[in-house]
Amino acid sequence: KAGVTQTPRYLIKTRGQQVTLSCSPISGHRSVSWYQQTPGQGLQFLFEYFSETQRNKGNFPGRFSGRQFSNSRSEMNVSTLELGDSALYLCASSFITGETEAFFGQGTRLTVV
Amino acid sequence: TQLLEQSPQFLSIQEGENLTVYCNSSSVFSSLQWYRQEPGEGPVLLVTVVTGGEVKKLKRLTFQFGDARKDSSLHITAAQTGDTGLYLCAGAKGSSNTGKLIFGQGTTLQVKP
């Protein structure tokens, strides 16, 4: 069974631009969560989607948004990029919401210059 | 406020030595997961513990969930260079309406030959 696929793996953007990251969950998994990982803050929860609905949201500004499609694929968008948004963005999928065993993708390394 | 405190943050040992990593909190978690992450990759799930006092073994790795479900430990026996990596504990709080995980800051383990 294929794992969680995140694209692109690496991204370099300029401050002020916006970016869209994509995540394809494990086949049959309907819950997708997004995390931001930085050396200083570790892994921090961004939001979770289940059946195209946002179920939970972390403490991030409104510049961070996401959505989920009917095939469970998810995208997250960051607008008006700041230098501090440079991070590894990780997507995790679970079979159902509330199932806490999460399977992570390899992540998208975003660098804002 | 870091809900999950991991210790130590860094650990450098010789191959063959034993080690224990701790994950502590003042909060109760419904379950706790341990992940291992290599540089530039996503975390890989090692184990999930659910019941207070539960002990799970995965080859040379032993995981324990505290009786009160507030803490956990990971013990590695006879460490090998392949055990090198970032070890993360992650807790799930509350009921089944969210897939949000709260992560500890991680323990970076270096096993030298």
Side-chain angles (χ1 to χ4, degrees), chain A residues 26-77:
Chain A
I26 291 171
S27 178
H29 284 195
R30 295 166 59 195
S31 172
V32 173
S33 297
W34 288 89
Y35 292 82
Q36 181 196 65
Q37 186 175 30
T38 59
Q41 298 298 318
L43 266 138
Q44 293 193 298
F45 175 80
L46 281 156
F47 27 66
E48 181 204 4
Y49 286 87
F50 178 76
S51 292
E52 302 177 65
T53 301
Q54 188 179 88
R55 286 302 184 98
N56 206 349
K57 191 175 190 304
N59 295 323
F60 279 83
R63 301 185 296 106
F64 292 82
S65 63
R67 59 177 175 169
Q68 186 180 34
F69 302 95
S70 58
N71 62 357
S72 295
R73 190 178 71 86
S74 177
E75 289 181 346
M76 69 161 282
N77 185 275

Short mmCIF file of all heavy atoms in Angstrom, two decimals, chain A residues 26-77:
data_model
loop_
_atom_site.label_atom_id
_atom_site.label_comp_id
_atom_site.label_asym_id
_atom_site.label_seq_id
_atom_site.Cartn_x
_atom_site.Cartn_y
_atom_site.Cartn_z
N ILE A 26 -2.88 7.93 2.57
CA ILE A 26 -2.90 6.50 2.29
C ILE A 26 -4.30 6.15 1.77
O ILE A 26 -5.31 6.67 2.28
CB ILE A 26 -2.56 5.70 3.56
CG1 ILE A 26 -1.09 5.94 3.92
CG2 ILE A 26 -2.84 4.22 3.38
CD1 ILE A 26 -0.69 5.37 5.27
N SER A 27 -4.35 5.28 0.78
CA SER A 27 -5.62 4.90 0.19
C SER A 27 -6.58 4.38 1.28
O SER A 27 -6.22 3.52 2.08
CB SER A 27 -5.39 3.80 -0.86
OG SER A 27 -6.61 3.37 -1.41
N GLY A 28 -7.78 4.95 1.31
CA GLY A 28 -8.76 4.54 2.31
C GLY A 28 -8.77 5.41 3.55
O GLY A 28 -9.72 5.37 4.34
N HIS A 29 -7.71 6.17 3.76
CA HIS A 29 -7.67 7.09 4.91
C HIS A 29 -8.45 8.35 4.57
O HIS A 29 -8.29 8.93 3.50
CB HIS A 29 -6.22 7.45 5.26
CG HIS A 29 -5.50 6.38 5.98
ND1 HIS A 29 -4.32 6.60 6.65
CD2 HIS A 29 -5.79 5.06 6.16
CE1 HIS A 29 -3.91 5.48 7.20
NE2 HIS A 29 -4.78 4.53 6.92
N ARG A 30 -9.26 8.78 5.52
CA ARG A 30 -10.10 9.95 5.26
C ARG A 30 -9.74 11.16 6.10
O ARG A 30 -10.28 12.24 5.90
CB ARG A 30 -11.57 9.57 5.49
CG ARG A 30 -12.08 8.52 4.51
CD ARG A 30 -13.40 7.92 4.97
NE ARG A 30 -14.43 8.94 5.12
CZ ARG A 30 -15.57 8.74 5.77
NH1 ARG A 30 -15.81 7.58 6.35
NH2 ARG A 30 -16.47 9.71 5.85
N SER A 31 -8.85 10.99 7.06
CA SER A 31 -8.45 12.10 7.90
C SER A 31 -7.05 12.54 7.52
O SER A 31 -6.13 11.72 7.41
CB SER A 31 -8.48 11.67 9.38
OG SER A 31 -7.92 12.68 10.19
N VAL A 32 -6.89 13.83 7.32
CA VAL A 32 -5.57 14.40 7.00
C VAL A 32 -5.28 15.54 7.96
O VAL A 32 -6.10 16.44 8.14
CB VAL A 32 -5.53 14.92 5.54
CG1 VAL A 32 -4.22 15.64 5.29
CG2 VAL A 32 -5.71 13.77 4.56
N SER A 33 -4.11 15.48 8.58
CA SER A 33 -3.68 16.55 9.48
C SER A 33 -2.40 17.16 8.96
O SER A 33 -1.60 16.47 8.31
CB SER A 33 -3.43 16.00 10.89
OG SER A 33 -4.61 15.49 11.45
N TRP A 34 -2.21 18.41 9.25
CA TRP A 34 -1.00 19.13 8.83
C TRP A 34 -0.25 19.63 10.06
O TRP A 34 -0.87 20.10 11.04
CB TRP A 34 -1.37 20.33 7.96
CG TRP A 34 -1.84 19.96 6.59
CD1 TRP A 34 -3.14 19.70 6.21
CD2 TRP A 34 -1.05 19.84 5.39
NE1 TRP A 34 -3.19 19.41 4.86
CE2 TRP A 34 -1.93 19.50 4.34
CE3 TRP A 34 0.30 19.99 5.11
CZ2 TRP A 34 -1.49 19.30 3.04
CZ3 TRP A 34 0.74 19.79 3.81
CH2 TRP A 34 -0.16 19.45 2.79
N TYR A 35 1.08 19.53 9.99
CA TYR A 35 1.94 19.99 11.08
C TYR A 35 3.08 20.82 10.49
O TYR A 35 3.53 20.57 9.37
CB TYR A 35 2.54 18.80 11.84
CG TYR A 35 1.54 17.99 12.62
CD1 TYR A 35 0.76 17.01 12.01
CD2 TYR A 35 1.36 18.21 13.99
CE1 TYR A 35 -0.16 16.27 12.72
CE2 TYR A 35 0.44 17.47 14.72
CZ TYR A 35 -0.32 16.51 14.07
OH TYR A 35 -1.23 15.77 14.79
N GLN A 36 3.53 21.77 11.30
CA GLN A 36 4.71 22.55 10.95
C GLN A 36 5.83 22.14 11.90
O GLN A 36 5.62 22.06 13.10
CB GLN A 36 4.44 24.05 11.12
CG GLN A 36 5.62 24.93 10.76
CD GLN A 36 5.47 26.35 11.29
OE1 GLN A 36 5.45 26.57 12.50
NE2 GLN A 36 5.37 27.33 10.39
N GLN A 37 7.00 21.86 11.34
CA GLN A 37 8.13 21.47 12.18
C GLN A 37 9.28 22.45 11.97
O GLN A 37 9.76 22.64 10.85
CB GLN A 37 8.61 20.05 11.87
CG GLN A 37 9.70 19.55 12.80
CD GLN A 37 10.08 18.11 12.56
OE1 GLN A 37 9.98 17.61 11.45
NE2 GLN A 37 10.49 17.40 13.62
N THR A 38 9.71 23.07 13.07
CA THR A 38 10.86 23.96 13.06
C THR A 38 11.80 23.56 14.18
O THR A 38 11.37 22.96 15.17
CB THR A 38 10.44 25.43 13.26
OG1 THR A 38 9.75 25.54 14.52
CG2 THR A 38 9.55 25.92 12.15
N PRO A 39 13.09 23.90 14.06
CA PRO A 39 14.04 23.53 15.12
C PRO A 39 13.66 24.11 16.48
O PRO A 39 13.84 23.48 17.50
CB PRO A 39 15.36 24.10 14.61
CG PRO A 39 15.21 24.16 13.13
CD PRO A 39 13.76 24.49 12.91
N GLY A 40 13.12 25.31 16.47
CA GLY A 40 12.82 25.97 17.74
C GLY A 40 11.52 25.52 18.39
O GLY A 40 11.44 25.39 19.61
N GLN A 41 10.52 25.27 17.60
CA GLN A 41 9.18 24.96 18.12
C GLN A 41 8.80 23.49 18.02
O GLN A 41 7.78 23.06 18.56
CB GLN A 41 8.12 25.80 17.38
CG GLN A 41 8.28 27.30 17.55
CD GLN A 41 8.12 27.71 18.99
OE1 GLN A 41 7.24 27.23 19.70
NE2 GLN A 41 8.99 28.59 19.45
N GLY A 42 9.57 22.71 17.31
CA GLY A 42 9.22 21.30 17.14
C GLY A 42 8.04 21.16 16.21
O GLY A 42 7.80 21.99 15.34
N LEU A 43 7.27 20.09 16.42
CA LEU A 43 6.11 19.81 15.58
C LEU A 43 4.88 20.47 16.18
O LEU A 43 4.51 20.20 17.32
CB LEU A 43 5.86 18.30 15.52
CG LEU A 43 6.49 17.58 14.35
CD1 LEU A 43 7.10 16.27 14.78
CD2 LEU A 43 5.43 17.33 13.29
N GLN A 44 4.26 21.32 15.40
CA GLN A 44 3.06 22.00 15.87
C GLN A 44 1.90 21.75 14.92
O GLN A 44 2.05 21.84 13.70
CB GLN A 44 3.33 23.50 16.00
CG GLN A 44 4.34 23.83 17.10
CD GLN A 44 4.35 25.29 17.42
OE1 GLN A 44 4.67 26.12 16.59
NE2 GLN A 44 4.01 25.62 18.65
N PHE A 45 0.75 21.46 15.51
CA PHE A 45 -0.45 21.12 14.76
C PHE A 45 -1.02 22.35 14.08
O PHE A 45 -1.20 23.40 14.70
CB PHE A 45 -1.47 20.54 15.74
CG PHE A 45 -2.82 20.24 15.16
CD1 PHE A 45 -3.02 19.09 14.42
CD2 PHE A 45 -3.88 21.10 15.37
CE1 PHE A 45 -4.28 18.81 13.90
CE2 PHE A 45 -5.13 20.82 14.86
CZ PHE A 45 -5.33 19.68 14.12
N LEU A 46 -1.30 22.20 12.79
CA LEU A 46 -1.91 23.28 12.02
C LEU A 46 -3.43 23.10 11.94
O LEU A 46 -4.19 23.95 12.38
CB LEU A 46 -1.33 23.32 10.61
CG LEU A 46 0.04 24.00 10.48
CD1 LEU A 46 0.77 23.50 9.25
CD2 LEU A 46 -0.11 25.51 10.43
N PHE A 47 -3.86 22.03 11.32
CA PHE A 47 -5.29 21.73 11.22
C PHE A 47 -5.49 20.29 10.77
O PHE A 47 -4.56 19.63 10.30
CB PHE A 47 -6.05 22.68 10.27
CG PHE A 47 -5.23 23.28 9.17
CD1 PHE A 47 -4.70 22.49 8.16
CD2 PHE A 47 -5.01 24.64 9.13
CE1 PHE A 47 -3.95 23.03 7.14
CE2 PHE A 47 -4.25 25.21 8.11
CZ PHE A 47 -3.72 24.41 7.11
N GLU A 48 -6.76 19.84 10.92
CA GLU A 48 -7.14 18.50 10.53
C GLU A 48 -8.40 18.57 9.68
O GLU A 48 -9.32 19.35 9.97
CB GLU A 48 -7.43 17.62 11.74
CG GLU A 48 -7.82 16.18 11.36
CD GLU A 48 -8.63 15.48 12.41
OE1 GLU A 48 -9.00 16.09 13.42
OE2 GLU A 48 -8.93 14.28 12.21
N TYR A 49 -8.42 17.75 8.63
CA TYR A 49 -9.59 17.66 7.77
C TYR A 49 -10.10 16.24 7.74
O TYR A 49 -9.32 15.28 7.76
CB TYR A 49 -9.26 18.13 6.35
CG TYR A 49 -9.11 19.62 6.25
CD1 TYR A 49 -7.90 20.23 6.51
CD2 TYR A 49 -10.21 20.43 5.95
CE1 TYR A 49 -7.76 21.61 6.46
CE2 TYR A 49 -10.08 21.80 5.89
CZ TYR A 49 -8.86 22.39 6.15
OH TYR A 49 -8.73 23.75 6.11
N PHE A 50 -11.41 16.13 7.73
CA PHE A 50 -12.05 14.82 7.63
C PHE A 50 -13.32 15.01 6.81
O PHE A 50 -14.12 15.89 7.13
CB PHE A 50 -12.37 14.26 9.01
CG PHE A 50 -13.08 12.94 8.98
CD1 PHE A 50 -12.40 11.78 8.69
CD2 PHE A 50 -14.44 12.85 9.25
CE1 PHE A 50 -13.04 10.56 8.65
CE2 PHE A 50 -15.10 11.64 9.22
CZ PHE A 50 -14.39 10.50 8.92
N SER A 51 -13.49 14.21 5.79
CA SER A 51 -14.65 14.32 4.91
C SER A 51 -14.88 15.75 4.45
O SER A 51 -15.99 16.29 4.55
CB SER A 51 -15.91 13.79 5.62
OG SER A 51 -15.82 12.41 5.83
N GLU A 52 -13.80 16.36 4.00
CA GLU A 52 -13.81 17.71 3.41
C GLU A 52 -14.13 18.81 4.40
O GLU A 52 -14.36 19.96 3.99
CB GLU A 52 -14.79 17.75 2.23
CG GLU A 52 -14.48 16.74 1.14
CD GLU A 52 -15.50 16.74 0.01
OE1 GLU A 52 -15.60 17.75 -0.69
OE2 GLU A 52 -16.21 15.72 -0.15
N THR A 53 -14.17 18.50 5.68
CA THR A 53 -14.50 19.50 6.71
C THR A 53 -13.32 19.67 7.65
O THR A 53 -12.70 18.68 8.06
CB THR A 53 -15.74 19.04 7.52
OG1 THR A 53 -16.83 18.86 6.63
CG2 THR A 53 -16.09 20.07 8.58
N GLN A 54 -13.04 20.91 8.01
CA GLN A 54 -11.99 21.14 9.00
C GLN A 54 -12.53 20.77 10.37
O GLN A 54 -13.50 21.34 10.85
CB GLN A 54 -11.56 22.61 8.98
CG GLN A 54 -10.34 22.88 9.85
CD GLN A 54 -9.91 24.34 9.81
OE1 GLN A 54 -10.38 25.17 10.58
NE2 GLN A 54 -9.01 24.65 8.90
N ARG A 55 -11.85 19.83 11.04
CA ARG A 55 -12.33 19.33 12.33
C ARG A 55 -11.65 20.00 13.51
O ARG A 55 -12.18 20.04 14.61
CB ARG A 55 -12.09 17.82 12.42
CG ARG A 55 -13.02 16.99 11.58
CD ARG A 55 -14.48 17.24 11.96
NE ARG A 55 -15.40 16.39 11.24
CZ ARG A 55 -15.92 15.27 11.73
NH1 ARG A 55 -15.58 14.87 12.93
NH2 ARG A 55 -16.76 14.57 11.01
N ASN A 56 -10.44 20.47 13.29
CA ASN A 56 -9.69 21.05 14.40
C ASN A 56 -8.64 21.99 13.81
O ASN A 56 -8.17 21.78 12.69
CB ASN A 56 -9.00 19.96 15.21
CG ASN A 56 -8.77 20.37 16.65
OD1 ASN A 56 -8.93 21.53 17.01
ND2 ASN A 56 -8.40 19.41 17.47
N LYS A 57 -8.31 23.03 14.57
CA LYS A 57 -7.36 24.02 14.08
C LYS A 57 -6.40 24.37 15.19
O LYS A 57 -6.79 24.54 16.34
CB LYS A 57 -8.10 25.27 13.61
CG LYS A 57 -7.26 26.27 12.84
CD LYS A 57 -8.13 27.41 12.33
CE LYS A 57 -7.37 28.30 11.35
NZ LYS A 57 -6.13 28.85 11.89
N GLY A 58 -5.12 24.52 14.83
CA GLY A 58 -4.11 24.92 15.79
C GLY A 58 -4.03 26.43 15.90
O GLY A 58 -4.82 27.17 15.30
N ASN A 59 -3.04 26.89 16.64
CA ASN A 59 -2.88 28.32 16.89
C ASN A 59 -1.97 28.99 15.87
O ASN A 59 -0.86 29.40 16.19
CB ASN A 59 -2.34 28.55 18.31
CG ASN A 59 -3.31 28.09 19.35
OD1 ASN A 59 -4.52 28.24 19.20
ND2 ASN A 59 -2.79 27.52 20.42
N PHE A 60 -2.45 29.05 14.67
CA PHE A 60 -1.69 29.70 13.60
C PHE A 60 -2.54 30.82 13.01
O PHE A 60 -3.77 30.76 13.05
CB PHE A 60 -1.34 28.67 12.50
CG PHE A 60 -0.14 27.84 12.83
CD1 PHE A 60 -0.25 26.72 13.64
CD2 PHE A 60 1.12 28.18 12.36
CE1 PHE A 60 0.86 25.96 13.97
CE2 PHE A 60 2.23 27.41 12.66
CZ PHE A 60 2.10 26.30 13.47
N PRO A 61 -1.88 31.84 12.45
CA PRO A 61 -2.65 32.96 11.89
C PRO A 61 -3.46 32.53 10.67
O PRO A 61 -3.24 31.48 10.08
CB PRO A 61 -1.55 33.98 11.50
CG PRO A 61 -0.30 33.19 11.42
CD PRO A 61 -0.42 32.07 12.39
N GLY A 62 -4.40 33.40 10.31
CA GLY A 62 -5.30 33.10 9.21
C GLY A 62 -4.61 32.97 7.85
O GLY A 62 -5.24 32.51 6.90
N ARG A 63 -3.33 33.34 7.79
CA ARG A 63 -2.59 33.17 6.53
C ARG A 63 -2.44 31.69 6.17
O ARG A 63 -2.17 31.35 5.02
CB ARG A 63 -1.20 33.79 6.65
CG ARG A 63 -1.17 35.26 6.97
CD ARG A 63 0.24 35.81 6.95
NE ARG A 63 1.11 35.22 7.98
CZ ARG A 63 2.07 34.34 7.73
NH1 ARG A 63 2.31 33.91 6.49
NH2 ARG A 63 2.82 33.86 8.72
N PHE A 64 -2.60 30.86 7.16
CA PHE A 64 -2.50 29.41 6.95
C PHE A 64 -3.92 28.87 6.77
O PHE A 64 -4.78 29.04 7.64
CB PHE A 64 -1.84 28.74 8.15
CG PHE A 64 -0.39 29.07 8.31
CD1 PHE A 64 0.00 30.25 8.93
CD2 PHE A 64 0.59 28.21 7.85
CE1 PHE A 64 1.33 30.58 9.08
CE2 PHE A 64 1.93 28.51 8.00
CZ PHE A 64 2.31 29.71 8.61
N SER A 65 -4.14 28.23 5.66
CA SER A 65 -5.46 27.66 5.39
C SER A 65 -5.31 26.32 4.69
O SER A 65 -4.23 25.97 4.22
CB SER A 65 -6.30 28.61 4.53
OG SER A 65 -5.69 28.80 3.27
N GLY A 66 -6.39 25.60 4.64
CA GLY A 66 -6.32 24.31 3.98
C GLY A 66 -7.67 23.92 3.44
O GLY A 66 -8.68 24.62 3.63
N ARG A 67 -7.66 22.82 2.74
CA ARG A 67 -8.92 22.23 2.27
C ARG A 67 -8.70 20.77 1.96
O ARG A 67 -7.56 20.32 1.80
CB ARG A 67 -9.45 22.97 1.06
CG ARG A 67 -8.52 22.98 -0.16
CD ARG A 67 -9.17 23.68 -1.32
NE ARG A 67 -8.28 23.81 -2.47
CZ ARG A 67 -8.70 24.18 -3.67
NH1 ARG A 67 -9.96 24.48 -3.89
NH2 ARG A 67 -7.83 24.28 -4.67
N GLN A 68 -9.81 20.06 1.87
CA GLN A 68 -9.74 18.65 1.53
C GLN A 68 -10.74 18.37 0.43
O GLN A 68 -11.86 18.90 0.44
CB GLN A 68 -10.03 17.76 2.75
CG GLN A 68 -9.81 16.28 2.49
CD GLN A 68 -10.10 15.42 3.70
OE1 GLN A 68 -10.99 15.74 4.50
NE2 GLN A 68 -9.36 14.34 3.87
N PHE A 69 -10.35 17.54 -0.50
CA PHE A 69 -11.20 17.22 -1.63
C PHE A 69 -11.95 15.91 -1.38
O PHE A 69 -11.66 15.18 -0.43
CB PHE A 69 -10.34 17.12 -2.90
CG PHE A 69 -9.58 18.39 -3.20
CD1 PHE A 69 -8.27 18.55 -2.77
CD2 PHE A 69 -10.19 19.44 -3.87
CE1 PHE A 69 -7.56 19.72 -3.02
CE2 PHE A 69 -9.49 20.61 -4.13
CZ PHE A 69 -8.18 20.75 -3.70
N SER A 70 -12.87 15.61 -2.26
CA SER A 70 -13.72 14.44 -2.08
C SER A 70 -12.93 13.13 -2.12
O SER A 70 -13.36 12.11 -1.57
CB SER A 70 -14.84 14.40 -3.12
OG SER A 70 -14.29 14.41 -4.42
N ASN A 71 -11.76 13.16 -2.73
CA ASN A 71 -10.93 11.94 -2.77
C ASN A 71 -9.95 11.90 -1.59
O ASN A 71 -9.03 11.09 -1.58
CB ASN A 71 -10.16 11.87 -4.09
CG ASN A 71 -9.20 13.04 -4.28
OD1 ASN A 71 -9.15 13.94 -3.44
ND2 ASN A 71 -8.47 13.03 -5.37
N SER A 72 -10.17 12.76 -0.60
CA SER A 72 -9.39 12.87 0.64
C SER A 72 -8.05 13.58 0.47
O SER A 72 -7.39 13.85 1.47
CB SER A 72 -9.16 11.49 1.30
OG SER A 72 -10.38 10.97 1.73
N ARG A 73 -7.65 13.85 -0.74
CA ARG A 73 -6.43 14.64 -0.93
C ARG A 73 -6.62 16.01 -0.29
O ARG A 73 -7.73 16.54 -0.24
CB ARG A 73 -6.11 14.78 -2.41
CG ARG A 73 -4.74 15.38 -2.72
CD ARG A 73 -4.49 15.45 -4.22
NE ARG A 73 -5.30 16.44 -4.89
CZ ARG A 73 -4.98 17.74 -4.99
NH1 ARG A 73 -3.86 18.18 -4.45
NH2 ARG A 73 -5.77 18.56 -5.64
N SER A 74 -5.52 16.54 0.22
CA SER A 74 -5.61 17.82 0.93
C SER A 74 -4.55 18.78 0.43
O SER A 74 -3.49 18.37 -0.06
CB SER A 74 -5.45 17.59 2.43
OG SER A 74 -5.48 18.82 3.14
N GLU A 75 -4.85 20.03 0.51
CA GLU A 75 -3.89 21.09 0.22
C GLU A 75 -3.86 22.06 1.38
O GLU A 75 -4.87 22.27 2.06
CB GLU A 75 -4.30 21.85 -1.05
CG GLU A 75 -4.15 21.08 -2.34
CD GLU A 75 -4.55 21.91 -3.56
OE1 GLU A 75 -5.18 22.97 -3.38
OE2 GLU A 75 -4.22 21.47 -4.67
N MET A 76 -2.69 22.62 1.61
CA MET A 76 -2.61 23.74 2.54
C MET A 76 -1.98 24.93 1.82
O MET A 76 -1.14 24.76 0.93
CB MET A 76 -1.85 23.41 3.82
CG MET A 76 -0.38 23.18 3.68
SD MET A 76 0.45 23.33 5.29
CE MET A 76 0.54 25.11 5.49
N ASN A 77 -2.44 26.09 2.17
CA ASN A 77 -2.00 27.32 1.53
C ASN A 77 -1.47 28.27 2.59
O ASN A 77 -2.05 28.40 3.68
CB ASN A 77 -3.18 27.95 0.79
CG ASN A 77 -2.77 29.17 0.00
OD1 ASN A 77 -2.72 30.26 0.56
ND2 ASN A 77 -2.48 29.00 -1.26
#
